[in-house]
Amino acid sequence: MLLRCVAALVVMLTLPLVIGQTEHKVMAHMQGRLGPMYAGGFHGWAQLVADGVKFAQKEDIVPAGADRRVFQLAPAVALLPYLLVLLAIPVGPHGFVGQSIDAGIFFVLAVMGIGVLGSLMAGWASANKFSLLGGLRTAAQLMSYELPMLLAGASVAMAAGTLSLPGLLNEFHWWWIPWQLIGGFVFFTAGLAELQRPPFDMPVADSEIIFGAYTEYTGLRFALFLLSEYAGILVLCALTSVLFLGGWHGPMAASLGWLWMLLKTFALAFLVIWLRVTYPRLREDQLMRFAWTGLIPLALLQLALTGIIKVAISQ
């Protein structure tokens, strides 16, 4: 168990950085950004290192009117839930998972929801009205998009007849992918909104509230919030792969299952970056309307479709 926890920690500290570096390069190619392609020489390999040095050199400032302890704890509260979720995600067959949990789907969704406390703590403790407004927007957005995400996950659990993530993959069939396509779209989109990724980044709208709940943060504490965003991308893409794309299933899965899981996860991460450079930010009213009048009806439709097909199969 100790080795598995250490492995999860290593993954947590490396793969989000790889996603961050990939985002620099993909956005540079898609938008013609020259800076990230030159740092260090060959293909801008030192851009991530330069960012790390920049954050380490910045002064760690705590506002005079802030609740100091809460202000300092907020970045850790935002980051740690994703580490716990990684322990429950199966990477390959034959028990290749940190910890198998019977109610794995509900566990990971519940723990991911804790991350909003980091944003709320940061917004409230900063003694800044812009930060407080950003924290409240984050909470409202999470409450709206948590429901369709949970309904989409419940559809897969109903199809597999289990709440365990490894058990779900053991029951997986390839014909599930077109059948659960609507649920996959709802889950992935709601996950992007929970991570406040564009086009769902209204809580950190720089043109309105500077940078939302994180306005007063500098240096390494601000870097931890960025790391939690990339860790959230990793977790969301891995969960979407497990629930809707078969996870480690693929040719020679017994020996290469971990590779298929990794490829699917990073393909979805590329899609997350692509969406960032493609669509403009939604207004707050558009963002909330999309959840309640768009995603939730689609999730209920997927749930009903799953129930009908399960009854038809059982007969």
Side-chain angles (χ1 to χ4, degrees):
M1 176 55 66
L2 180 60
L3 290 176
R4 293 185 179 191
C5 289
V6 171
L9 181 61
V10 170
V11 169
M12 180 72 174
L13 295 176
T14 55
L15 292 188
L17 297 179
V18 174
I19 293 175
Q21 178 78 344
T22 303
E23 183 169 53
H24 279 304
K25 305 309 171 189
V26 171
M27 291 178 65
H29 281 293
M30 288 185 173
Q31 297 184 326
R33 299 185 179 191
L34 299 180
M37 304 303 292
Y38 283 92
F42 177 73
H43 208 68
W45 65 269
Q47 180 64 52
L48 193 64
V49 178
D51 286 341
V53 173
K54 175 185 69 176
F55 284 124
Q57 288 180 335
K58 286 188 175 181
E59 183 181 0
D60 183 17
I61 299 174
V62 178
D67 187 323
R68 191 177 187 89
R69 180 165 296 182
V70 176
F71 184 88
Q72 292 173 338
L73 283 176
V77 174
L79 180 62
L80 286 179
Y82 297 117
L83 175 60
L84 295 178
V85 171
L86 280 178
L87 288 171
I89 297 178
V91 181
H94 314 304
F96 196 176
V97 59
Q99 178 63 45
S100 180
I101 301 174
D102 291 338
I105 292 179
F106 290 143
F107 170 80
V108 297
L109 293 179
V111 172
M112 286 177 66
I114 296 175
V116 70
L117 292 178
S119 298
L120 280 174
M121 290 168 62
W124 178 81
S126 293
N128 181 311
K129 293 181 180 179
F130 292 108
S131 298
L132 180 59
L133 180 59
L136 293 176
R137 281 184 173 182
T138 301
Q141 187 164 312
L142 176 77
M143 292 175 63
S144 299
Y145 283 88
E146 187 77 17
L147 183 56
M149 197 173 186
L150 183 62
L151 290 173
S155 172
V156 182
M158 182 188 297
T162 178
L163 296 175
S164 169
L165 294 178
L168 186 149
L169 286 178
N170 290 333
E171 298 294 328
F172 175 80
H173 301 284
W174 287 109
W175 56 272
W176 281 13
I177 294 180
W179 168 26
Q180 297 290 334
L181 186 61
I182 297 175
F185 168 77
V186 170
F187 186 90
F188 188 71
T189 305
L192 288 179
E194 290 203 359
L195 295 176
Q196 304 166 58
R197 290 285 301 183
F200 305 102
D201 59 338
M202 181 53 68
V204 292
D206 55 330
S207 58
E208 295 183 23
I209 50 178
I210 308 176
F211 205 67
Y214 321 119
T215 298
E216 300 291 350
Y217 281 86
T218 60
L220 291 178
R221 297 188 196 280
F222 182 76
L224 284 178
F225 278 117
L226 291 183
L227 181 61
S228 68
E229 178 181 335
Y230 291 120
I233 294 174
L234 173 65
V235 168
L236 172 65
C237 295
L239 278 177
T240 305
S241 300
V242 169
L243 296 178
F244 300 99
L245 298 178
W248 46 260
H249 283 276
M252 301 177 64
S255 57
L256 296 179
W258 63 270
L259 179 60
W260 292 115
M261 179 66 181
L262 199 62
L263 289 175
K264 293 174 184 178
T265 300
F266 272 88
L268 289 174
F270 175 81
L271 180 59
V272 171
I273 300 169
W274 193 352
L275 291 173
R276 174 176 179 174
V277 299
T278 304
Y279 292 100
R281 176 185 297 133
L282 295 176
R283 293 198 316 264
E284 187 69 20
D285 61 315
Q286 293 173 330
L287 187 147
M288 302 300 283
R289 187 184 304 116
F290 183 62
W292 292 101
T293 64
L295 293 186
I296 290 179
L298 286 176
L300 292 173
L301 174 63
Q302 177 67 75
L303 204 59
L305 178 64
T306 301
I308 292 171
I309 294 179
K310 284 290 287 185
V311 171
I313 292 174
S314 63
Q315 292 179 350

